[in-house]
Amino acid sequence: MPPAAAGRDTAAASDDGWLRVHPASPFVRGWFALAAIAFFFGRDIFERALQGQPVFEEGLGRRAPWLLGGGAAVLVVAVLGFVLTWYFTKYQVSGGYVRVTSGLLFRQHRQARLDRVQAIDIVQPLLARIFGLAELKFEVADAGESAVRLAYLKIDDARQLRATILARASGAAAVAVPGAGAPEAGQPAPAAVEAPEFPVLAVPPSRLLGSLLLSEQSFFVVAGGAASVVLSAVTDNRAFYFYLVPAALGLAAGYWNFFNRGYNFTAAVSPDGIRLRYGLLDTQAQTLPPGRIQAVKVAQSPLWRPFGWYRMQVNVAGYGQSGNAVEGNTRTILLPVGKLPDVLAMLSLVLPDPGTDQPAAVFAAGLDGRDSDGGFTTTPRRAWLLAPFAWRRNGFAATDTALLIRSGRWWLELVVVPHQRTQSLALQQGPVARRFRVADLVLHTTAGPVAPRLAQAGLDEARQLFNDQSARARLARKRQTTEQWLQQVAPASGPMTTSDPYQQEGQQHA
């Protein structure tokens, strides 16, 4: 990043191209500590005011200097700690790496290779939004958690830094400032203009709220409430009503969390990846580079079927191993709730080349088809006892670019795994499966909500698929000669049009 851009209030230039985060960053991160200090010294005054007693107790004047002195000392130590934390936190983007150093007594140095960046998120908690700041999170292929977190930068600088890193990681040809050569080792990376984006879809708040009310969680809470009412009426014991209190509180908290994080969900496509934005109080902007998604799952619950709603989740390296379970689940959602055209639009971004002449027909058969619809191979009839309701659904189909696995009769699922993302395969067969000559095929990808597993395939078909998929994965990996995703897939150059085969057939199936 050039000094002119990096020096705008958000970061002060340091030696050798090292930059600092915004000076307000430690205060935004440590506001809870300041609130705790204020609570500790003001708790007695607050409690006395609530009880109607004099705000200041007798003898306070004699102790006031000590209290004020102690409070001032604690505050000075806290502020000094914040300042030192800011001063010793620096970052740099150069030489194909993004580096972050932090710590006063215990120094920490973290770096991530740009060509291994899986995704970049811009996160704005409520307090950071008030100050116009944002946090950058970099996910790296082989990191157990976010490899690099920069908190906080001014929102404009965070966007430009993200654009610079994405441009360099993608292998874009024109990322340098016109007239500038390649950056030398130890020098800051040249700035890149943020790539244009084209909106793909937006989830209406009403649909999001309806999906939450019709979730499995709501069904079980309502069923539990009805059971409590019946038991209370039969046994004449009012204690059963108390069981509804924690359930109602948990349901309200869960609703609020998912509504807050899924509100105003929008998806757009740009040359540097799929851009997702969402959030009511805390906002987040994700950038998922094409070709970095390991697996996709499209699911539909029985309560959503009358409305034609689906949910999409993905496996991305780093996302599935987030220390915060709620945050990890939210970041792996590609589409919180959408209809078939929305699903096909998102699939066209994840898998630009579907590997078939009739992608919408094949994927629609994977979502709600049965038997051999769309070219799927299902569980043989001899094994129908193992899955009486789902044996005509459980099956697979392979295109030139991906393996599709569908399952479920009531809870419909379709899992899509690009061939080059198949890390390993395993055939599993228990004693009952041996009796019916069927087997399960498991595909191993990165950790996440998607667990690709083909259940109860015919033994001969499973063995053949094992060999064929191994060959397809090996060939696809050979074709992938670089980690720079812009050279692996063709980025979208404009908004989605009817010339897209997904969209053409999707409109016919809608």
Side-chain angles (χ1 to χ4, degrees):
M1 182 176 295
R8 295 193 311 262
D9 299 331
T10 38
S14 181
D15 296 337
D16 300 327
W18 287 91
L19 308 171
R20 290 193 179 93
V21 296
H22 194 277
S25 300
F27 297 93
V28 175
R29 288 199 306 265
W31 68 270
F32 186 78
L34 298 178
I37 294 173
F39 174 78
F40 178 79
F41 286 97
R43 180 183 58 184
D44 291 340
I45 296 177
F46 182 72
E47 291 179 351
R48 293 176 67 86
L50 289 179
Q51 295 172 1
Q53 300 178 8
V55 176
F56 300 103
E57 60 182 356
E58 297 181 1
L60 180 63
R62 296 189 301 271
R63 293 182 294 146
W66 296 99
L67 293 175
L68 292 176
V74 173
L75 184 61
V76 168
V77 170
V79 172
L80 181 61
F82 288 165
V83 172
L84 291 176
T85 299
W86 166 80
Y87 183 80
F88 286 98
T89 301
K90 304 176 184 179
Y91 70 95
Q92 179 192 62
V93 181
S94 67
Y97 289 87
V98 54
R99 302 180 177 89
V100 176
T101 61
S102 61
L104 172 60
L105 299 179
F106 301 95
R107 300 289 292 169
Q108 185 181 55
H109 179 85
R110 308 196 73 174
Q111 68 178 18
R113 283 175 48 186
L114 295 184
D115 61 357
R116 301 292 287 172
V117 170
Q118 300 290 303
I120 299 182
D121 300 351
I122 293 182
V123 184
Q124 282 191 287
L126 181 59
L127 189 59
R129 289 177 63 189
I130 295 176
F131 288 96
L133 304 179
E135 176 185 6
L136 273 181
K137 291 183 180 180
F138 308 92
E139 298 295 346
V140 182
D142 50 3
E145 57 183 14
S146 292
V148 176
R149 300 170 71 113
L150 283 178
Y152 289 87
L153 308 175
K154 286 195 69 173
I155 182 61
D156 292 338
D157 290 337
R159 288 171 179 163
Q160 186 175 51
L161 180 58
R162 178 185 65 174
T164 301
I165 293 175
L166 285 173
R168 298 194 63 197
S170 65
V175 296
V177 177
E184 299 178 359
Q187 295 302 315
V193 178
E194 188 171 16
E197 65 179 44
F198 305 95
V200 175
L201 60 87
V203 177
S206 57
R207 184 190 298 172
L208 178 64
L209 182 60
S211 68
L212 295 176
L213 295 177
L214 294 177
S215 63
E216 294 88 343
Q217 181 182 6
S218 299
F219 173 79
F220 288 114
V221 168
V222 171
S228 299
V229 172
V230 172
L231 290 174
S232 298
V234 172
T235 62
D236 198 24
N237 185 353
R238 305 296 181 184
F240 287 102
Y241 287 115
F242 290 104
Y243 294 112
L244 298 178
V245 176
L249 293 177
L251 181 65
Y255 278 169
W256 167 250
N257 177 69
F258 283 101
F259 186 79
N260 177 44
R261 291 181 175 268
Y263 182 81
N264 197 30
F265 185 96
T266 60
V269 61
S270 72
D272 56 21
I274 304 169
R275 295 182 182 175
L276 308 178
R277 293 186 177 87
Y278 51 86
L280 179 58
L281 298 181
D282 300 342
T283 62
Q284 187 158 329
Q286 291 179 244
T287 301
L288 299 176
R292 294 306 205 200
I293 294 176
Q294 310 288 322
V296 184
K297 179 174 69 175
V298 185
Q300 183 185 64
S301 69
L303 297 177
W304 286 12
R305 197 165 306 160
F307 302 92
W309 293 343
Y310 299 90
R311 171 173 291 175
M312 300 181 69
Q313 293 178 284
V314 295
N315 283 2
V316 177
Y319 276 5
Q321 300 174 348
S322 174
N324 187 326
V326 174
E327 179 186 6
N329 291 336
T330 304
R331 296 169 73 193
T332 58
I333 294 178
L334 187 64
L335 178 64
V337 55
K339 296 190 175 182
L340 181 58
D342 301 326
V343 172
L344 296 178
M346 297 305 293
L347 283 173
S348 69
L349 305 183
V350 175
L351 200 66
D353 179 11
T356 174
D357 295 334
Q358 297 180 325
V362 173
F363 285 97
L367 293 173
D368 56 14
R370 294 190 304 174
D371 298 325
S372 59
D373 294 348
F376 276 78
T377 302
T378 59
T379 300
R381 181 180 294 273
R382 64 176 180 272
W384 72 271
L385 281 175
L386 300 180
F389 300 105
W391 70 274
R392 299 176 65 183
R393 273 273 309 164
N394 297 343
F396 70 93
T399 71
D400 293 341
T401 56
L403 179 66
L404 284 62
I405 301 175
R406 72 181 185 192
S407 61
R409 177 64 181 89
W410 308 112
W411 279 265
L412 307 182
E413 285 190 4
L414 172 66
V415 173
V416 181
V417 182
H419 294 322
Q420 70 270 24
R421 297 305 171 191
T422 301
Q423 297 181 359
S424 62
L425 301 97
L427 274 177
Q428 298 179 356
Q429 187 184 50
V432 177
R434 275 198 298 272
R435 170 65 181 82
F436 291 92
R437 298 190 71 250
V438 294
D440 292 358
L441 179 68
V442 180
L443 281 74
H444 301 135
T445 67
T446 58
V450 186
R453 186 185 188 95
L454 173 62
Q456 295 147 4
L459 184 58
D460 296 335
E461 290 84 353
R463 289 173 175 169
Q464 185 65 38
L465 177 61
F466 181 90
N467 296 328
D468 292 345
Q469 186 61 21
S470 299
R472 283 190 289 258
R474 184 165 54 251
L475 181 60
R477 284 193 295 269
K478 285 183 178 179
R479 292 173 178 170
Q480 180 181 321
T481 58
T482 176
E483 289 290 342
Q484 296 178 329
W485 63 79
L486 201 61
Q487 300 180 25
Q488 299 176 31
V489 297
S493 59
M496 304 297 290
T497 64
T498 54
S499 62
D500 182 7
Y502 281 93
Q503 296 288 54
Q504 282 184 330
E505 294 186 66
Q507 294 169 1
Q508 297 173 6
H509 284 81

